[in-house]
Amino acid sequence: VAAVRLSAFAEGLRPESAFDVLAVAKRFKADGKDVVELQIGDSPFPTTEHGRQAGISAINEGRTNYCPSRGLPEFREAVADHMNRLYSLDLTGENIVVGHGAKIFEQFFCEVFLEPGDEVLVFSPRFPTYAPNIERRGAVPVYTSLKQENEFRPSIPDVEAFVARGPKARAIFLNSPHNPTGGVATAEDIRAICNLIRGKNVALFSDEPYNHMAWEGSHYTPLSEPEMLEQCVAAYTFSKSYSMSGWRLGYAVCSSRIAEVIGHMLNTSLSCIPPYAQLAGAAALKQDSEERDRNMNAFRGKVELLADALQTIEELSVSRPHGTFYVFPNVARICNRLGITSHGLAMYLLEAADDRFGVACLGGECFGEDGAGFIRFSCAEPDERLREAVDFLPKAFERQDRVSRYLKDHPEYVLSERYPTSSE
Ligand SMILES: Cc1ncc(COP(=O)(O)O)c(C=O)c1O
């Protein structure tokens, strides 16, 4: 055993399961298995045209050296213009800070506002990296459930109860449209949350990677609410809307005071974000909105196709998501009958339900205990492949012998306590 000890934080760190399942799916594919990949929230489309071309030109023009930590002025101004147009805001480049995607702002937000022992309200199921970033600061996530019967919308009384806990209650993580459930908080929900925290020492992290993917109603950002710029950090990404997940580009919108501090955090960690990626992003914002909207419409068609097809499977309960490119069916009855956990069921569909064909997806518990009994499918495959995946499911759910064999090899997926269902 090495003498050097790892920190308790390092020992306890759990990575995002989507990337683990991605690796398993790729391994099966390399071995010749036909796998429909619905495990990770990525786009099947190429990076939008003007973004791609601007990135290539920027590299050719030598925009490949260090640049300002907070972001190129032309990037920050392009973002401010874009946000002002979208949400009728009054931002300048001073309100914008660049990041490599949206995820990094979870960490920076926590570093800006939290002290050890502080409490953070997190709606659950939740994005898997929220807790590690809260815990990185020695702060404590406080979970509250998003319920299927409430269309996975945030419960306002739970927010009220959290704020009433006193001075330790320091922050709220909000994500709408919501990964993994596809729920969308209404303008009234968001207004109510803002009214509960306005002027108090409670900061809001508004994680909005799916702001162009609201299918029911329209996307509403807390930035539209009075004074919220002073106590909110809203995070956006080019990953989903402009199919740029591998470019690693996003931004946060907040007060100039907070943006400056986040700039210091970038300076002391990443130094800067590649200038050619920022120039690609600025061009995408200015010139690719039509292509973006076409892609968003295609996503909408895909989630509707998938949700409607899943609705024909008995024992499974699902509605069309109100936003995002995820479908989140309740599979509790199937799990109870087969005696398998929902992530066990997901892994069985990939690994063991058939020798030649598999479906990669995630059990809801990858998003916390509140997700147990659900499965998350993302829609990043052609429509025909989505149909093939859904056709396969009922057959897979009937292969009791294969499930039993799989559980013998993977006792960790044996369901110890039945999931609650509305009909039991
Ligand atoms: C809720 C949520 N937050 C953050 C991210 C991370 O986005 P990015 O790849 O832009 O860092 C994702 C991506 O799946 C997400 O679903």
Side-chain angles (χ1 to χ4, degrees), residues 311-323:
Q311 278 168 0
T312 65
I313 299 179
E314 228 191 308
E315 287 186 296
L316 184 155
S317 137
V318 64
S319 317
R320 282 184 177 186
H322 288 185

Side-chain angles (χ1 to χ4, degrees), residues 15 26 29 161 175 177 272 282 303 318 326 362:
K26 297 289 181 212
K29 278 178 104 162
N175 166 222
C272 66
V303 281
V318 64
Y326 305 112
L362 299 177

Side-chain angles (χ1 to χ4, degrees), residues 8 23 35 38 55 60 116-117 122 133 182 184 228 259 270-271 301 311 331 366 393:
V35 177
L38 307 180
N60 287 334
V122 177
N133 281 307
V184 173
M228 272 303 123
L270 304 165
S271 290
Q311 278 168 0
V331 292
C366 299
L393 297 181

Side-chain angles (χ1 to χ4, degrees), residues 228-239:
M228 272 303 123
L229 207 54
E230 297 307 318
Q231 63 190 95
C232 174
V233 173
Y236 300 86
T237 177
F238 289 78
S239 299

Side-chain angles (χ1 to χ4, degrees), residues 44-88:
F45 306 117
T47 293
T48 53
E49 177 68 22
H50 293 91
R52 195 168 68 236
Q53 294 305 342
I56 293 167
S57 303
I59 290 174
N60 287 334
E61 286 159 15
R63 304 296 297 268
T64 49
N65 294 88
Y66 293 133
C67 66
S69 298
R70 271 173 81 171
L72 297 172
E74 56 263 57
F75 173 81
R76 291 162 59 204
E77 272 149 35
V79 170
D81 286 349
H82 167 79
M83 291 293 289
N84 290 343
R85 248 180 293 119
L86 262 185
Y87 302 121
S88 308

